[in-house]
Amino acid sequence: MTRIVHLIDDINPGGVVRYLDFLSASPEMAFGHHEVIPVSKSRFGSIRVEADVIVSHLSINWRGLPGLMALRARYAGIPMIHVEHSYCEGFAAANVSAKRRFTTLLTSAYSLFDRVVAVSEMQAAWLLRRSVVDSEALTVIPPCVDLAPFRAIPAVDGPVRIIGALGRFHTQKGFDVLIRAFRQVDD
């Protein structure tokens, strides 16, 4: 059985952790044994793993780049994949003032991986426009979770308006947009 090690530097409940829970339990992913290893944000280059494939869900940043380089050197013969959960065109527009420096960071980091996974077609298109990853090394895999429990909730009778939002209160999650839109709703 293929040993797949997933490296994460954020163990807070949320998208990445739910995504990995889903992968670990998915019958479609049963071809491999999935092990999730939480690592320090700046010390993942020194970890020791036994794996056939290493999948990074790590935050790419300048402080962590030497660790990524050490990880690649230590496991030179093992395929490494990076799943980009954080960076997209909207994030860069809102948060990045030094665009060329940011592009250099992404190009340098992504070059250490055999494959880079974008979580949407739009993110993939942005990565290609920025030329930070070769098209041959880029794959799109939208995140998914088991929605069966949500679908099992009985339908409500009568006129009901329900607005729900789950996630961290962070600008990238768009709660500010939801609040402005909610204020425009009648009643």
Side-chain angles (χ1 to χ4, degrees):
M1 181 172 285
T2 304
R3 295 169 300 175
I4 305 165
V5 170
H6 298 269
L7 304 178
I8 62 171
D9 57 8
D10 181 0
I11 58 170
N12 293 313
V16 175
V17 172
R18 287 188 64 207
Y19 175 69
L20 291 172
D21 287 345
F22 176 78
L23 284 181
S24 298
S26 170
E28 290 84 12
M29 298 301 285
F31 65 86
H33 170 74
H34 297 267
E35 181 180 0
V36 177
I37 300 179
V39 296
S40 166
K41 287 189 181 283
S42 60
R43 299 200 170 260
F44 40 83
S46 62
I47 66 162
R48 296 210 179 272
V49 298
E50 297 234 356
D52 298 309
V53 178
I54 297 173
V55 182
S56 159
H57 302 271
L58 304 169
S59 302
I60 300 294
N61 56 56
W62 286 109
R63 185 175 27 163
L65 191 57
L68 284 179
M69 294 166 73
L71 187 69
R72 174 75 280 173
R74 175 171 284 163
Y75 299 103
I78 295 179
M80 287 180 43
I81 301 165
H82 176 71
V83 181
E84 186 51 76
H85 293 278
S86 300
Y87 300 133
C88 63
E89 188 170 15
F91 175 90
N95 299 294
V96 177
S97 58
K99 306 277 191 237
R100 288 179 53 194
R101 184 175 189 266
F102 185 64
T103 297
T104 300
L105 168 65
L106 296 183
T107 304
S108 300
Y110 295 160
S111 71
L112 300 170
F113 295 94
D114 299 290
R115 299 209 62 78
V116 174
V117 175
V119 296
S120 73
E121 292 291 343
M122 289 180 65
Q123 182 189 44
W126 173 73
L127 293 171
L128 291 173
R129 280 194 314 276
R130 300 300 306 159
S131 299
V132 296
V133 64
D134 292 330
S135 61
E136 303 82 39
L138 184 63
T139 302
V140 177
I141 304 175
C144 54
V145 295
D146 183 10
L147 296 175
F150 178 73
R151 290 185 180 117
I153 297 172
V156 178
D157 291 331
V160 175
R161 183 184 322 180
I162 299 173
I163 298 176
L166 299 172
R168 291 178 292 128
F169 194 63
H170 185 278
T171 55
Q172 194 170 356
K173 301 298 181 182
F175 284 100
D176 56 329
V177 175
L178 175 64
I179 290 167
R180 284 194 307 273
F182 187 76
R183 288 180 180 152
Q184 295 177 16
V185 174
D186 293 334
D187 194 22

